[in-house]
């Protein structure tokens, strides 16, 4: 018995207590901690306390060389960013494997742990199709930027970002495009035959860009350069050797950091891609993978109920299953006037034209369920699978104005019609430009303001399979829609003279929907702008429906 008890204690100590201390108290593998780095005598003479930098008046004349992970980001964990790349650029299986090796990474030390994460995350991913650095990561990096550091960098004459852990492909777009950093120097990933092999170049590799910054073009001198890094971060990067002064951020400084507010972003974040709606911290990732099989089954059940059962049965069941919809209107009579099968205002010959902003592919379905009536939805693009499974009639627009106008005229003569003139979805609180074609189709236009809330998965994508969008939306524990009906708007008749143009009507409807959706901003951006940013194309891919 004594032997068995001793063996159990030994097992418990090795496989629980040691990982617990490493994982909870000092997660070296996934937290940026280089406390064992010894600064040389020359470096120590140049080191200053960070708070004294915030009030220096000569920053506009200086070049600021800063460590991204040690001085800019509030969080100390690298795991969420590598998990995002593994999930979005790889697959759910790659992400699951990264999560499973996470405890081991915590035990092996920072250097080896980083190599393991890079290998698992990037091995086999094609470099030419890698879009996570520009389409996915900027949103999560921006939410992790601290306000105090950004304000200091904004005052600098020239800014140079240095990273000892992040590959260049992960941070360059975020820093250059959204924070307007002049130069970004990250770790370089090795590529073979166009594919990442999961290895990074050594830190001391001489990059030509550094020689151009510091030598040939004399853009900065030693007297003009100021270094900013974390107290426990390495200063062995060659750029810091050119800094006359180095300011270190202490843990006490980080405790008082504030996140950079959205309204202070140098460039607004309007478009981003990826399925994950949450920041995949270790605990959040555990919850995600625990929920995933249950969510998949629940999504299938929700879809079957909505596709097969009549409104008066399916709506209560969907509510019990966690699918929520909040329906409001600017006038109590609006909903009652439009509700019910085949109800048209004043028995007009033409049907009503419902004009909505676009949040997910389920917009027409939620509108149909809220009014308990069937109508036709016209879309600019729709996957073949979604078109087959849709419980309401869907018709594709050709993007040829005359053909689309003729088609919509015919459809309106047979009943009510719903259209999303943005032409594509936008997750953030912005409205894209409304195509003005709808303004000429009917004199009875009902604007509808839509908003969604998800907690785990986004129900839209620019680079993934569109047919999976409704499934991912329904996989959320409590997916919800807010549907707000606005006062009807008079459209333009083709044979009617009017001082208003179709653009005036479209802009007016866009503005009214923006007002109804508190905090939403109207823009002139289009579907083409979105896909150029997120997918590197104009959004018209013939081989795969988008």
């Amino acid at each position: 018995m004594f032997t068995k008890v001793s063996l159990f204690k030994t097992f418990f100590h090795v496989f629980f207590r040691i990982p617990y201390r490493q994982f909870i108290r000092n997660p070296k593998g996934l937290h940026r901690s280089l406390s064992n780095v010894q600064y040389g005598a020359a470096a120590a003479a140049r080191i200053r306390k960070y708070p004294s930098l915030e009030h220096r008046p000569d920053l506009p004349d200086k070049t600021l060389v800063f460590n991204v992970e040690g001085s800019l980001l509030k969080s100390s964990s690298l795991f969420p960013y590598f998990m995002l790349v593994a999930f979005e650029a790889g697959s759910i299986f790659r992400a699951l494997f990264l999560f499973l090796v996470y405890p081991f990474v915590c035990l092996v030390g920072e250097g080896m742990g980083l190599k393991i994460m890079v290998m698992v995350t990037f091995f086999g991913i094609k470099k030419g199709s890698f879009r996570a650095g520009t389409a996915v990561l900027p949103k999560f990096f921006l939410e992790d930027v601290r306000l105090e550091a950004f304000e200091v960098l904004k005052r600098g004459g020239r800014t140079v970002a240095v990273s000892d852990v992040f590959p260049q492909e992960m941070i360059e777009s975020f820093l250059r495009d959204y924070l307007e950093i002049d130069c970004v120097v990250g770790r370089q990933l090795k590529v073979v035959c166009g594919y990442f092999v999961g290895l990074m170049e050594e830190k001391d590799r001489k990059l030509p860009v550094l020689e151009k910054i510091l030598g040939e073009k004399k853009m900065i001198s030693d007297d003009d350069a100021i270094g900013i890094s974390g107290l426990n971060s390495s200063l062995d990067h060659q750029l810091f050797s050119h800094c006359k002064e180095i300011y270190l951020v202490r843990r006490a400084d980080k405790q008082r950091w504030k996140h950079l507010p959205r309204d202070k972003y140098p460039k607004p974040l309007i478009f981003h891609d990826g399925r994950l709606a949450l920041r995949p911290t270790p605990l959040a990732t555990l919850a995600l993978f625990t929920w995933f099989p249950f969510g998949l089954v629940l999504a299938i059940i929700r879809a079957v109920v909505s596709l097969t059962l009549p409104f008066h049965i399916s709506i209560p069941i969907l509510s019990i299953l966690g699918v929520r919809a909040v329906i409001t209107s600017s006038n109590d009579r609006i909903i009652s006037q439009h509700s019910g099968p085949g109800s048209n205002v004043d028995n007009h010959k033409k049907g009503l034209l419902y004009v909505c902003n676009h949040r997910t592919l389920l917009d027409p379905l939620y509108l149909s369920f809220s009014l308990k009536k069937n109508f036709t939805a016209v879309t600019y693009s729709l996957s073949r699978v979604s078109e087959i499974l849709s419980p309401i009639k869907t018709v594709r627009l050709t993007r040829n104005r005359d053909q689309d106008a003729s088609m919509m005229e015919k459809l309106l003569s047979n009943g009510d019609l719903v259209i999303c003139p943005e032409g594509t979805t936008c997750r953030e609180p912005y409205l894209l430009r409304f195509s003005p074609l709808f303004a000429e189709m009917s004199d009875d236009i009902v604007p509808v303001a839509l908003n969604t809330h998800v907690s785990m998965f986004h129900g839209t994508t620019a680079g993934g399979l569109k047919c999976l969008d409704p499934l991912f939306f329904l996989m959320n524990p409590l997916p919800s829609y807010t549907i707000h009906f606005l006062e009807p708007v008079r459209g333009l008749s083709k044979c009617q003279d009017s001082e208003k143009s179709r653009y005036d009507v479209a802009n007016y409807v866009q503005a009214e929907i923006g007002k109804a959706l508190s905090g939403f901003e109207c823009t002139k951006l289009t579907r083409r702008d979105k896909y150029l940013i997120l997918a590197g194309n104009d959004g018209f891919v013939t081989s795969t429906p988008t």
Side-chain angles (χ1 to χ4, degrees), residues 131-194:
R131 304 291 302 178
T134 57
V136 178
L137 293 177
K139 168 184 167 57
F140 295 92
F141 273 126
L142 284 170
E143 291 175 350
D144 198 22
V145 171
R146 70 181 188 93
L147 175 62
E148 293 83 357
F150 174 73
E151 290 179 340
V152 169
L153 296 177
K154 188 169 61 173
R155 292 169 52 204
R158 181 176 173 84
T159 50
V160 180
V162 175
S163 177
D164 292 322
V165 295
F166 286 118
Q168 185 91 3
E169 288 80 358
M170 289 180 65
I171 60 173
E172 185 164 19
S173 178
F174 147 66
L175 292 168
R176 283 187 179 273
D177 299 340
Y178 289 94
L179 293 190
E180 299 177 348
I181 301 302
D182 297 307
C183 181
V184 180
V185 183
R187 302 286 296 275
Q188 296 293 321
L189 288 169
K190 294 183 179 181
V191 179
V192 175
C193 299

Side-chain angles (χ1 to χ4, degrees), residues 326-330 335 482-486:
V326 178
I327 305 170
T328 60
S329 68
S330 55
I335 298 178
T482 300
I483 305 169
H484 185 77
F485 292 89
L486 306 180

